Amino acid sequence: MAEGSWTRRMFEEAAVLKKKHGEHNVFDLSLGNPIMEPPAEFKQALKKLSESPISGMHRYMENAGYEETRAAVANQVSVETGIQVGAHDIVMTVGAAGAINVILKTILNSGDEVIVFAPYFMEYDNYIDNHSGKPVVVKADDKFLPDLADLAGKITRKTKAVIVNSPNNPTGVVYSTDFVNRLVSVLQNKEKEYSSAIYLISDEAYSSLIYDGLPYVPVLKIYHRCLIATSHSKDLALPGERIGYIAVNPNIEAKADLVSGLIFCNRILGFVNAPALMQKLIQHLQHITVSIADYQEKRDFMYNSLTNMGYKLVKPQGAFYMFPQTPIENDIEFVHELQKHNVLTVPGRGFGTPGYFRISYCVGQQTLEGSLFGFRKTAEQFRLS
Ligand SMILES: Cc1ncc(COP(=O)(O)O)c(C=O)c1O
């Protein structure tokens, strides 16, 4: 708790500043909490359901979720990945966070190692620790792609899983098919060497938010020991509704036991099942997303503005974050300098990578525009251009 979440800490500091200076004078780019409203189709589906309620829709259900919802999700996953996934390969969960916890609870024995790629969503450390696992961090190259030689060196007999997250929080980097193939071949070589089985957990919370016409890469299809953990928090802008799912590769070994384990863990972790009302709604919204063009515009606006000021950053290709270098070594100090201008960001060490800071641009255009003054002043202070 003392180490805490830097993201939450900055979000809370923003709330204090907003009280002091007024909402419009604080530029909060800390949390990945989209200000976009859910698509119109969501509201229509909600209205329709409330006007014609289905008998029993508020009761307990199968712990895996409603069969019809899982079938609709399975259908969409099959279309997107190109492999045939059935309703029984899907478990509805309480967000992507719930999905990752259910998977880890199911597969980990005490002391098992789980590999994560820095910079990463650091809640993974807490989730792995929840289930008595040990996080092992692999470094990235200067384009924020995982260093595959480092990965090979860090896989041991105790490696039970690897978590990938593309599009990535905090960098916005999107992995290519070629890169995923190379990553998978490292896993397969090590599995042979140790006669082990390594699961690939593909955290796809941002999979609908990909820009510049880049393709979605179906990790689920590429590796048979893959499980997708995802949600509708970002693609339908429903993070408070806590609705997500796990999709299991249909060709995974001992699939029946694995899926039974996932369903059991969904129950005993205390989730019991994913929210009933949301399951009823997202069943009809599988092909819908918020406006990707809006996010791409915001990405372009912030990327162009910051690079013109002299900030150094890798151009994000997805999600709604960017991860520029801090012009001084101490990222906490730099973030505090920005904060003096009421611009709230998160230090890179909050993602296991000091020397950078994260900007979340899922906010209104006015907030982005308002933040530029502070970014410019701070760039001048550190003589960036
Ligand atoms: C990479 C990543 N994974 C998982 C989550 C958790 O998502 P959810 O709100 O669906 O639990 C987040 C939330 O921001 C995230 O950034």
Side-chain angles (χ1 to χ4, degrees):
M1 277 175 69
E3 283 172 22
S5 155
W6 272 103
T7 308
R8 282 276 159 187
R9 214 180 295 179
M10 298 313 288
F11 180 64
E12 278 153 24
E13 287 194 24
V16 174
L17 285 177
K18 279 176 193 168
K19 267 202 189 127
K20 198 164 151 198
H21 301 290
E23 186 94 15
H24 295 296
N25 299 314
V26 177
F27 311 103
D28 181 7
L29 312 178
S30 62
L31 193 63
N33 195 12
I35 59 122
M36 258 187 212
E37 287 299 315
E41 290 87 342
F42 173 80
K43 293 180 187 167
Q44 284 154 10
L46 184 59
K47 191 159 177 268
K48 197 168 156 200
L49 190 58
S50 68
E51 283 170 356
S52 353
I54 302 162
S55 168
M57 68 187 238
H58 302 296
R59 296 184 192 144
Y60 286 128
M61 68 192 76
E62 272 185 72
N63 299 111
Y66 292 119
E67 176 96 20
E68 318 83 77
T69 304
R70 292 155 71 203
V73 168
N75 184 49
Q76 185 65 18
V77 173
S78 304
V79 169
E80 283 170 7
T81 61
I83 45 167
Q84 204 50 46
V85 173
H88 294 96
D89 303 322
I90 305 291
V91 177
M92 301 308 298
T93 62
V94 177
I100 299 167
N101 273 281
V102 166
I103 294 171
L104 293 172
K105 171 81 175 164
T106 308
I107 65 176
L108 292 186
N109 291 317
S110 179
D112 279 349
E113 293 168 4
V114 179
I115 290 183
V116 293
F117 298 112
Y120 65 106
F121 176 59
M122 274 186 84
E123 292 290 46
Y124 292 156
D125 284 357
N126 295 320
Y127 300 164
I128 294 164
D129 183 64
N130 281 345
H131 309 294
S132 311
K134 188 174 157 244
V136 174
V137 182
V138 163
K139 63 182 184 191
D141 66 15
D142 58 354
K143 295 273 181 281
F144 297 129
L145 284 175
D147 179 332
L148 295 182
D150 194 34
L151 169 65
K154 290 202 170 132
I155 294 176
T156 71
R157 284 176 203 286
K158 290 196 154 188
T159 305
K160 184 58 75 68
V162 172
I163 304 181
V164 286
N165 171 224
S166 166
N168 184 264
N169 175 8
T171 64
V173 162
V174 174
Y175 299 169
S176 67
T177 305
D178 173 61
F179 181 77
V180 174
N181 278 328
R182 285 190 285 125
L183 189 149
V184 162
S185 78
V186 172
L187 299 188
Q188 286 168 333
N189 288 338
K190 286 288 168 184
E191 285 178 331
K192 263 191 215 132
E193 184 181 333
Y194 295 133
S195 302
S196 65
I198 303 172
Y199 293 102
L200 187 57
I201 302 171
S202 185
D203 176 349
E204 302 193 1
Y206 301 92
S207 64
S208 294
L209 307 182
I210 299 180
Y211 312 130
D212 307 324
L214 286 176
Y216 162 79
V217 173
V219 184
L220 191 74
K221 186 182 181 188
I222 295 174
Y223 188 55
H224 83 286
R225 281 197 192 106
C226 178
L227 298 96
I228 293 178
T230 190
S231 72
H232 294 296
S233 297
K234 318 290 172 165
D235 64 0
L236 293 176
L238 297 172
E241 300 296 351
R242 315 305 306 134
I243 183 72
Y245 61 86
I246 299 166
V248 177
N249 182 303
N251 304 316
I252 207 161
E253 299 92 345
K255 188 179 78 172
D257 280 350
L258 177 68
V259 174
S260 298
L262 296 170
I263 297 169
F264 177 72
C265 292
N266 208 22
R267 190 183 101 212
I268 64 162
L269 282 173
F271 301 126
V272 183
N273 57 250
L277 187 58
M278 286 302 127
Q279 289 194 51
K280 289 280 180 217
L281 297 177
I282 62 99
Q283 179 187 329
H284 305 291
L285 302 170
Q286 283 304 298
H287 54 291
I288 306 287
T289 60
V290 292
S291 165
I292 312 299
D294 266 26
Y295 278 132
Q296 186 168 320
E297 263 173 42
K298 288 179 201 283
R299 187 271 319 251
D300 290 341
F301 176 77
M302 284 312 276
Y303 177 78
N304 294 337
S305 304
L306 293 180
T307 48
N308 283 338
M309 291 175 200
Y311 287 96
K312 293 205 169 24
L313 67 151
V314 173
K315 189 171 187 179
Q317 300 159 314
F320 41 55
Y321 307 106
M322 44 188 70
F323 203 56
Q325 278 178 29
T326 51
I328 48 172
E329 221 179 295
N330 189 330
D331 50 330
I332 297 182
E333 199 183 318
F334 178 77
V335 159
H336 281 138
E337 287 306 314
L338 278 176
Q339 200 172 334
K340 288 181 186 163
H341 302 284
N342 289 345
V343 176
L344 280 296
T345 58
V346 184
R349 70 191 59 199
F351 305 90
T353 313
Y356 294 84
F357 66 106
R358 189 192 75 170
I359 293 169
S360 172
Y361 59 85
C362 59
V363 297
Q365 184 63 18
Q366 266 187 340
T367 307
L368 295 180
E369 282 170 19
S371 72
L372 295 189
F373 176 81
F375 280 120
R376 191 170 300 110
K377 281 282 166 210
T378 316
E380 283 164 12
Q381 182 185 342
F382 294 109
R383 298 181 205 293
L384 277 184
S385 49

